[in-house]
């Protein structure tokens, strides 16, 4: 009897599912016809229930070429096809790298699109509900809370960067011949941005580069601040793995994940509690060496809300958005400088012309942003690697995208409510029809006089545009400027091999940034003298100093420069603001 009832329920369920899916398909077909839409090209359906593409994409990500795989897969469907529909099991999604569609989702039809539920679901255990993770009315509330803080002029604090850069440089051991030991700069940048980010957000740095500076009273009263970075990385690793499975991410379980999330949250709660105990008006005005009051985001947010959970979530959302992205950008910048000596030379000349070779000479925000070649290097680095190589939106109602349907790809495409639309920014930034036949070359000069709009959206665009792009670019440019004052040569210490893109949410070099640097002045005390035991210490610090020296540097074939190019700087690129109308693209 029980079996009979069970079977009956199963048949009823299957019938209901079949009927609803039939009704939905008919509804979608009617709506598409009414709106003059045509079907886009289809990605080949491979493997069991069409999961082949998903498996391929996960494999490519593991092999550290995920963004390139996506680009090649789209090109294999058609180099002139920029919008496709892909199906995995019962799940249809659209992938588009068409600039008209991007503009529609971010600007002209932005009311019909928002981030999907995946971002919120994937991140909420760690970050809670904040500006990165929420949608609709809840997101408007968060954005209204944090945006005014980012709309200030010159938000980035150069003194803050300098203090933590000093600590970073002390991590690099020098040898007797004026060169540093071989060093992997990548982990150093991740610690650096954790330290600058935590100080910017909480008012006090977690000092991941200099744990010995942690105040003694913290040791007694605080949660596990020393391992803040470790817990953050471990929790994010799990989120990345879940994210790769899109809607099926919940299938992955890891018993340590909640512990890491809790450890991170405990640390932030501790900062928030200390701040709230002082009362909203008790803002300690600390003057930085440049005479500017120190900006602390927590102080500012505490004026608007005293809800500890809300404060924790917003701060963590921003820390997540800022730390790894900016560290990746710094790492990649040096990765390419080590492979393009002529770019390094041109950039260094510009830095010395503007700021002298004295690494203690003042660098101001305005002068930094006036360095054109420096900006080109940063933009080209972002273009070539796509720091956030994939963005996404989901339709909040039945709607359309203006292009991609029909044989010529020029008809609108119907997008049913709930459909996820992937935006492969890396692929957009490698479209030959937009960037020219030298698209795969690393060539900062291409940015001279280049106007761009919806074809270059590394910081998103429209109402949900990144709030920290000015901060990230200032921090990266500052580090580049100072390091190039101190060092006059950089050498790639990695063996030959293809570029590896370790794509989690952001994209960092999968082989690290293995270099050695030459001090411009032998008097310089910017690095530590290297005792004989230093190689072992280097390993403990994750510097890679003990790794075997490898073959002389080679340039990855895809990024060969075929000729010397002349460059003349032009001053046209100082507009930064998140204050501009949201539709204007400013990068
Ligand atoms: C190279 C560094 C960075 C890159 C490439 C980057 C890129 C992005 C991208 C692609 C988005 C998503 C936009 C969307 O959903 O369409 C975003 C959002 C965001 N970013 Fe950044 N970001 C960087 C650094 C930063 C920094 C340093 C901060 C803060 C100090 C920051 C704060 C935010 C915030 C708060 C959001 C959420 C905006 C919203 O949804 O309303 N980002 N960023």
């Amino acid at each position: 009897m029980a079996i009979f009832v069970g079977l009956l329920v199963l048949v009823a369920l299957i019938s209901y599912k079949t009927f609803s899916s039939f009704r939905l398909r008919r509804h979608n077909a009617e709506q598409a016809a009414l709106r003059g839409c045509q079907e886009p090209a289809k990605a080949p359906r491979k493997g069991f229930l069409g999961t082949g593409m998903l498996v391929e994409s996960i494999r490519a990500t593991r092999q550290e070429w995920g963004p390139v795989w996506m680009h090649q897969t789209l090109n294999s469907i058609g180099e002139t096809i920029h919008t496709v529909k892909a199906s995995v099991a019962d799940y249809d999604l659209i992938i588009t790298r068409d600039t008209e569609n991007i503009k529609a989702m971010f600007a002209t039809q932005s009311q019909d699109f928002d981030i999907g539920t995946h971002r919120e679901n994937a991140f909420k255990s760690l970050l809670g509900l904040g500006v990165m993770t929420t949608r609709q009315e809840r997101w408007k509330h968060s954005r209204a809370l944090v945006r005014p803080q980012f709309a200030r002029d010159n938000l980035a604090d150069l003194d803050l960067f300098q203090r933590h850069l000093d600590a970073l440089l002390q991590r690099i051991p020098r040898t007797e011949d004026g060169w540093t030991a071989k060093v992997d700069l990548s982990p150093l940048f991740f610690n650096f941005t954790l330290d600058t980010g935590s100080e910017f957000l909480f008012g006090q740095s977690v000092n991941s580069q200099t744990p010995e500076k942690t105040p003694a009273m913290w040791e007694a009263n605080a949660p596990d601040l020393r391992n803040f970075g470790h817990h953050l990385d471990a929790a994010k690793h799990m989120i990345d793995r879940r994210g790769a499975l899109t809607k099926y991410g919940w299938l992955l379980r890891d018993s340590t994940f909640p512990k890491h999330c809790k450890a991170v949250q405990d640390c932030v709660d501790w900062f928030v509690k200390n701040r709230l105990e002082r009362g909203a008006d008790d803002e300690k005005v600390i003057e930085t060496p440049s005479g500017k009051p120190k900006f602390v985001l927590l102080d500012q947010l505490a004026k608007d809300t005293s809800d500890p959970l809300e404060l924790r979530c917003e701060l963590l959302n921003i820390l997540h958005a800022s730390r790894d992205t900016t560290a990746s950008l710094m790492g990649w910048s040096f990765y390419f400088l080590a492979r393009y000596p002529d770019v390094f030379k041109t950039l260094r000349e510009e830095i010395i012309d503007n700021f002298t070779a004295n690494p203690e000479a003042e660098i101001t925000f305005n002068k930094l942003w006036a360095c054109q070649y420096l900006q080109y290097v940063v933009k080209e680095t972002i273009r070539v690697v796509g720091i956030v190589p994939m963005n996404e939106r989901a339709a909040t109602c039945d709607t359309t995208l203006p292009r991609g349907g029909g044989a010529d790809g020029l008809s609108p495409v119907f997008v049913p409510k709930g459909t996820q639309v992937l935006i492969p920014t890396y692929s957009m930034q490698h479209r030959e029809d937009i960037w020219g036949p030298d698209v795969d070359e690393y060539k900062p000069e291409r940015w001279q006089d280049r106007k761009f709009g919806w074809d270059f959206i590394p910081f998103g665009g429209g109402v949900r545009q990144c709030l920290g792009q000015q901060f990230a670019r200032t921090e990266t440019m500052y580090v580049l400027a100072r390091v190039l004052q101190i060092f006059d040569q950089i050498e790639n210490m990695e063996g030959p091999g293809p570029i590896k893109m370790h794509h989690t949410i952001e994209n960092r070099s999968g082989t690290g940034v293995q270099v050695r640097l030459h001090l411009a002045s032998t008097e310089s005390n910017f690095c530590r003298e290297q005792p004989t035991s230093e190689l072992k210490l280097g390993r403990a610090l994750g510097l890679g100093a003990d790794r075997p020296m490898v073959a002389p540097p080679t340039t990855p074939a895809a990024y060969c420069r075929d000729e010397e190019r002349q460059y003349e700087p032009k001053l046209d690129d100082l507009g930064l603001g998140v204050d501009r109308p949201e539709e204007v693209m400013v990068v």
Side-chain angles (χ1 to χ4, degrees):
M1 181 63 179
I3 296 179
F4 178 71
V5 174
L7 273 176
L8 212 63
V9 171
L10 189 69
V11 170
L13 270 175
I14 293 173
S15 312
Y16 174 73
K17 186 92 182 128
T18 314
F19 179 67
S20 344
S21 117
F22 169 76
R23 253 189 20 180
L24 189 64
R25 273 210 307 273
R26 203 176 57 187
H27 164 85
N28 290 346
E30 279 168 11
Q31 285 298 316
L34 263 176
R35 299 167 194 235
C37 296
Q38 303 266 346
E39 277 291 296
K42 287 201 171 46
R45 205 173 148 87
K46 299 179 188 171
F48 178 64
L49 292 175
T51 51
M53 287 284 261
L54 183 62
V55 173
E56 272 183 28
S57 120
I58 292 171
R59 194 178 297 138
T61 305
R62 284 219 184 111
Q63 293 167 350
E64 307 201 313
W65 66 296
V68 182
W69 173 85
M70 174 56 85
H71 183 58
Q72 289 180 359
T73 302
L74 290 175
N75 280 354
S76 70
I77 298 167
E79 294 214 2
T80 55
I81 293 177
H82 302 308
T83 302
V84 301
K85 190 188 257 184
S87 304
V88 180
D90 63 336
Y91 185 61
D92 286 346
L93 55 85
I94 291 173
I95 307 172
T96 186
R97 54 179 179 179
D98 186 319
T99 51
E100 284 302 310
N101 291 344
I102 308 301
K103 182 174 158 193
M105 285 186 284
F106 284 167
T108 49
Q109 290 167 238
S110 66
Q111 71 284 355
D112 295 352
F113 293 91
D114 203 339
I115 61 164
T117 45
H118 307 304
R119 204 188 280 182
E120 179 178 323
N121 291 338
F123 284 104
K124 72 178 170 213
S125 314
L126 175 66
L127 306 182
L129 300 179
V131 66
M132 271 298 285
T133 51
T134 48
R135 294 172 297 129
Q136 307 287 295
E137 292 310 311
R138 183 66 186 74
W139 164 77
K140 279 187 192 154
H141 170 80
S142 285
R143 180 104 180 173
L145 183 69
V146 297
R147 185 171 182 265
Q149 307 310 331
F150 286 88
R152 294 158 181 251
D153 279 350
N154 189 354
L155 180 71
D157 173 357
L158 305 187
D159 296 322
L160 169 77
F161 301 155
Q162 182 62 57
R163 264 183 292 114
H164 293 290
L165 182 61
D166 286 341
L168 182 153
L169 291 166
Q170 286 304 312
R171 290 310 221 201
I172 304 179
R174 69 188 272 186
T175 57
E176 278 164 11
D177 56 3
W179 284 89
T180 67
K182 177 191 170 193
V183 57
D184 181 359
L185 292 177
S186 181
L188 301 192
F189 288 138
F190 278 82
N191 283 344
F192 170 79
T193 53
L194 184 60
D195 286 354
T196 56
S198 52
E199 189 164 339
F200 167 77
L201 295 170
F202 315 134
Q204 282 163 321
S205 172
V206 295
N207 291 329
S208 66
Q209 303 186 98
T210 47
E212 66 281 5
K213 285 195 182 161
T214 305
M217 47 79 73
W218 285 23
E219 297 282 352
N221 304 322
D224 190 9
L225 287 171
R226 273 182 189 257
N227 287 310
F228 183 75
H230 160 71
H231 293 302
L232 191 63
D233 290 342
K236 200 181 142 226
H237 180 64
M238 183 63 189
I239 291 172
D240 292 335
R241 289 174 59 212
R242 283 188 177 160
L245 292 178
T246 63
K247 145 175 173 181
Y248 306 103
W250 57 271
L251 289 168
L252 268 186
R253 299 271 144 185
D254 178 347
S255 59
T256 63
F257 178 61
K259 289 182 204 148
H260 292 303
C261 293
K262 177 153 186 332
V264 169
Q265 291 162 0
D266 283 350
C267 292
V268 181
D269 287 347
W270 185 76
F271 286 112
V272 169
K273 183 171 153 283
N274 287 348
R275 179 63 193 87
L276 291 179
E277 276 171 6
R278 292 196 346 247
D281 300 330
D282 179 21
E283 191 185 342
K284 276 191 208 154
V285 182
I286 302 169
E287 274 214 356
T288 59
S290 64
K292 225 180 110 189
K294 179 170 158 177
F295 179 89
V296 176
L297 190 67
L298 174 54
D299 281 344
Q300 303 306 320
L301 298 184
K303 290 178 188 166
D304 292 326
T305 175
S306 55
D307 177 348
L309 182 60
E310 186 172 19
L311 287 168
R312 176 226 280 172
C313 294
E314 295 303 352
L315 292 168
L316 263 176
N317 269 250
I318 295 170
L319 182 65
H320 160 75
S322 61
R323 186 257 183 144
D324 293 358
T325 45
T326 314
S328 302
L329 173 56
M330 287 175 191
W332 281 117
S333 303
F334 283 93
Y335 179 97
F336 287 115
L337 288 180
R339 283 158 176 79
Y340 294 89
D342 53 342
V343 174
F344 181 90
K345 187 167 169 284
T346 311
L347 181 58
R348 188 160 193 274
E349 277 165 14
E350 185 182 59
I351 303 290
I352 304 299
D353 283 353
N354 281 277
F355 306 115
T356 77
N358 173 8
E360 279 163 22
E362 191 188 21
I363 292 182
T364 63
F365 177 87
N366 287 342
K367 277 185 89 176
L368 197 60
W369 277 85
C371 292
Q372 285 292 289
Y373 196 72
L374 181 56
Q375 293 213 33
Y376 297 168
V377 166
V378 172
K379 281 184 196 161
E380 183 66 350
T381 304
I382 294 175
R383 185 195 71 80
V384 168
V385 297
I387 300 292
V388 180
M390 182 71 83
N391 202 339
E392 58 106 42
R393 285 293 181 268
T396 54
C397 55
D398 282 352
T399 184
T400 56
L401 286 173
R403 269 202 323 217
D408 59 6
L410 295 177
S411 300
V413 172
F414 180 62
V415 188
K417 179 178 177 181
T419 305
Q420 191 182 12
V421 184
L422 295 184
I423 304 164
T425 29
Y426 174 91
S427 186
M428 280 177 72
Q429 290 164 196
H430 286 261
R431 270 181 55 179
E432 199 173 320
D433 57 327
I434 295 177
W435 301 95
D438 58 359
V439 63
D440 285 331
E441 289 180 39
Y442 179 78
K443 220 169 94 179
E445 293 81 354
R446 78 170 73 245
W447 289 97
Q448 188 177 355
D449 297 332
R450 185 177 179 100
K451 297 273 177 279
F452 59 89
W454 296 103
D455 49 2
F456 188 61
I457 48 154
F459 295 95
V463 290
R464 290 201 77 139
Q465 193 171 14
C466 171
L467 286 173
Q469 61 165 304
Q470 187 212 88
F471 188 99
R473 291 169 65 195
T474 309
E475 189 171 14
T476 305
M477 291 196 296
Y478 186 83
V479 168
L480 279 164
R482 277 293 186 230
V483 173
L484 267 65
Q485 282 181 311
I486 298 167
F487 299 103
D488 57 5
Q489 289 176 65
I490 184 169
E491 197 174 299
N492 171 22
M493 300 300 287
E494 190 185 315
I499 189 164
K500 294 262 187 186
M501 297 185 166
H502 184 78
H503 172 204
T504 52
I505 290 142
E506 78 295 333
N507 165 23
R508 68 184 80 169
S509 162
T511 51
V513 184
Q514 315 287 344
V515 297
R516 64 177 191 147
L517 297 142
H518 186 262
L519 283 160
S521 157
T522 48
E523 304 300 307
S524 180
N525 61 358
F526 280 97
C527 305
R528 279 180 310 167
E529 292 295 340
Q530 183 180 15
T532 33
S533 61
E534 194 69 6
L535 291 177
K536 281 213 177 92
L537 180 64
R539 185 185 192 191
L541 294 172
L543 304 178
D546 65 327
R547 294 192 198 168
M549 290 288 186
V550 288
T554 57
T555 311
Y559 297 103
C560 280
R561 289 160 66 90
D562 52 1
E563 59 191 34
E564 283 292 309
R565 289 180 182 80
Q566 292 301 312
Y567 160 72
E568 268 180 49
K570 283 224 168 74
L571 297 175
D572 67 346
D573 198 0
L574 270 167
L576 310 169
V578 280
D579 272 344
R580 292 192 184 188
E582 303 267 24
E583 199 185 318
V584 176
M585 287 300 306
V586 188
V587 177

